[in-house]
Amino acid sequence: MNPALDAETGLADAPPGHKEELRLWLRLLTCTTLIESEVRRRLRARFGTTLPRFDFLAALDRAPEGLTPGEVSRRMMVSSGNVTGLAARLEDEGLIERRAHHSDGRAQILRLTPRGRREFARQSAAHEAWIAELLADVAPRERAELFRLLGRAKQSVRARLTEEKP
Amino acid sequence: MNPALDAETGLADAPPGHKEELRLWLRLLTCTTLIESEVRRRLRARFGTTLPRFDFLAALDRAPEGLTPGEVSRRMMVSSGNVTGLAARLEDEGLIERRAHHSDGRAQILRLTPRGRREFARQSAAHEAWIAELLADVAPRERAELFRLLGRAKQSVRARLTEEKP
DNA sequence: GGCATGTAGTTTAGGCTTGAAGCATCTTCC
DNA sequence: GGAAGATGCTTCAAGCCTAAACTACATGCC
């Protein structure tokens, strides 16, 4: 796969149709960055934790029977090496625990400890309220439309990704 | 199981409207992450560079007179300590150069070198094409609407941020 | 069984990122 | 002029993140 490199785009003053997609992408990125860094700030200030840790607990919270590190890696969309490090820290803090997999000798099962579950419940409630607060000025109808259009974008991107690794 | 947790999503109870904002946020984050990690992958594969470096060059490319590190920090929305490190690496690679500020003894001016400008032009053309490619399935009308709604979201978030630090 | 191939996790080197502490310089206000 | 505070930048410690190399186990095929 080779995205048709537009010959005319080489110079700064070239105004091809592409510019619009670029502006859309930059705005998407700005929105995400603004929300994400505010959430990081608050997680740190209120709970002394970080977004990756929060996301990790969230993944486990949704799977009461536990998850393998590989599954956590896929759900969080991060590398498996990253999961190894995060899991070690969370285990040290007593928020998660490891068990051997019942049938696969290579795998493990990670689960929230009772304390991890309690901690996450507190954090999660606050987190949900923060998001609602930050997006309060987007009317319900606009939110629904935004959600739909983002779904479209997601689909568009995913189609291009799977295309090139068959 | 914690009775305060919703059985389906594992998320804590909250006033009814909140779930929707959360789903919107998660989708926004997924979209951004998908595009961003694909762009990182391609920048690495094709140009042996990284997204922060690319963004840094982009900021300087838009300012022919050069920028102070502080200005770069604001435009990239990253900490000033971060800019220090990136600038050092880019200077080592000969892509940017530093000059003393004409009037402020504390400040500097960072500018692209000719080589930096050439490098960025190459990368930028490819980057723009990638974004257009990834978003190709979003129709022009949908793109415009998405852009507008994201503007609304951005505005909503920003209003909440400035609110609390007067 | 036994080899080839694939998959699950870990390790490692290197880069990115932040918040906080620190230094130098600038600005303001007396 | 000079003190007090603000601003620009760097340094530092700690954590996040990835790709690539590696180990250990599993599975398929003969």
Side-chain angles (χ1 to χ4, degrees):
Chain A
M1 167 277 13
N2 196 327
L5 283 187
D6 200 340
E8 66 185 320
T9 55
L11 296 177
D13 60 345
H18 288 186
K19 275 278 164 52
E20 266 181 72
E21 284 95 332
L22 195 54
R23 293 201 320 143
L24 174 55
W25 162 235
L26 292 178
R27 181 165 281 189
L28 181 62
L29 187 55
T30 298
C31 261
T32 300
T33 302
L34 279 177
I35 298 176
E36 194 174 328
S37 54
E38 180 64 13
V39 167
R40 283 180 198 272
R41 211 173 353 254
R42 295 187 186 188
L43 278 175
R44 175 186 186 81
R46 290 228 230 201
F47 300 111
T49 189
T50 66
L51 191 50
R53 280 163 153 95
F54 175 79
D55 287 343
F56 200 121
L57 298 184
L60 290 187
D61 191 73
R62 288 189 203 101
E65 65 289 351
L67 293 175
T68 63
E71 191 52 40
V72 173
S73 161
R74 276 183 289 278
R75 297 195 185 196
M76 290 181 69
M77 300 196 285
V78 299
S79 70
S80 56
N82 192 353
V83 168
T84 298
L86 283 169
R89 271 168 243 131
L90 290 170
E91 193 181 12
D92 283 351
E93 294 173 21
L95 300 177
I96 71 174
E97 61 188 358
R98 313 163 100 95
R99 296 243 181 283
H101 192 283
H102 64 92
S103 64
D104 190 332
R106 299 165 301 180
Q108 316 160 19
I109 298 292
L110 304 177
R111 299 184 49 170
L112 289 180
T113 60
R115 188 170 145 240
R117 198 167 292 279
R118 265 197 318 274
E119 240 346 90
F120 177 72
R122 281 204 318 139
Q123 296 173 5
S124 170
H127 176 265
E128 190 170 327
W130 295 340
I131 299 302
E133 177 206 346
L134 292 172
L135 294 176
D137 287 347
V138 185
R141 181 167 310 201
E142 291 177 317
R143 278 205 311 262
E145 183 65 1
L146 191 45
F147 187 78
R148 188 183 73 79
L149 291 169
L150 285 171
R152 203 119 169 72
K154 190 166 99 177
Q155 207 176 2
S156 177
V157 176
R158 272 210 216 274
R160 297 311 179 299
L161 301 191
T162 49
E163 223 166 54
E164 55 183 309
K165 42 176 176 179
Chain B
M1 286 283 272
N2 190 327
L5 294 177
D6 181 276
E8 181 188 355
T9 62
L11 296 170
D13 286 344
H18 288 188
K19 279 270 168 55
E20 269 180 70
E21 285 96 332
L22 195 54
R23 294 203 318 146
L24 174 56
W25 162 236
L26 292 177
R27 180 165 284 189
L28 180 63
L29 186 55
T30 299
C31 262
T32 300
T33 303
L34 279 177
I35 297 175
E36 195 174 327
S37 53
E38 180 63 12
V39 167
R40 283 180 199 274
R41 211 173 353 254
R42 293 187 187 189
L43 278 175
R44 175 187 186 81
R46 292 232 222 187
F47 300 111
T49 189
T50 66
L51 190 51
R53 278 161 153 97
F54 175 79
D55 287 343
F56 201 120
L57 298 184
L60 290 188
D61 190 72
R62 287 189 204 102
E65 311 303 317
L67 294 175
T68 63
E71 192 52 39
V72 174
S73 161
R74 276 183 289 277
R75 297 195 186 196
M76 292 180 69
M77 297 198 284
V78 300
S79 70
S80 55
N82 192 353
V83 167
T84 299
L86 284 169
R89 272 168 242 131
L90 289 170
E91 192 180 15
D92 283 351
E93 293 173 24
L95 300 177
I96 72 174
E97 61 188 359
R98 315 164 99 98
R99 295 242 181 284
H101 191 284
H102 64 93
S103 64
D104 191 333
R106 301 164 302 178
Q108 315 160 18
I109 299 292
L110 304 178
R111 298 184 50 169
L112 288 180
T113 61
R115 190 171 146 238
R117 199 167 292 280
R118 268 196 317 274
E119 242 343 270
F120 177 72
R122 283 203 317 138
Q123 296 173 6
S124 171
H127 175 265
E128 191 171 327
W130 296 339
I131 298 301
E133 177 208 347
L134 291 171
L135 294 176
D137 287 348
V138 185
R141 182 165 310 201
E142 291 177 317
R143 278 203 312 262
E145 183 65 1
L146 192 45
F147 188 79
R148 189 183 73 79
L149 291 170
L150 285 172
R152 203 119 168 73
K154 189 165 101 175
Q155 207 177 4
S156 176
V157 175
R158 272 210 217 274
R160 297 312 180 297
L161 301 191
T162 49
E163 225 166 51
E164 54 184 304
K165 42 175 176 180

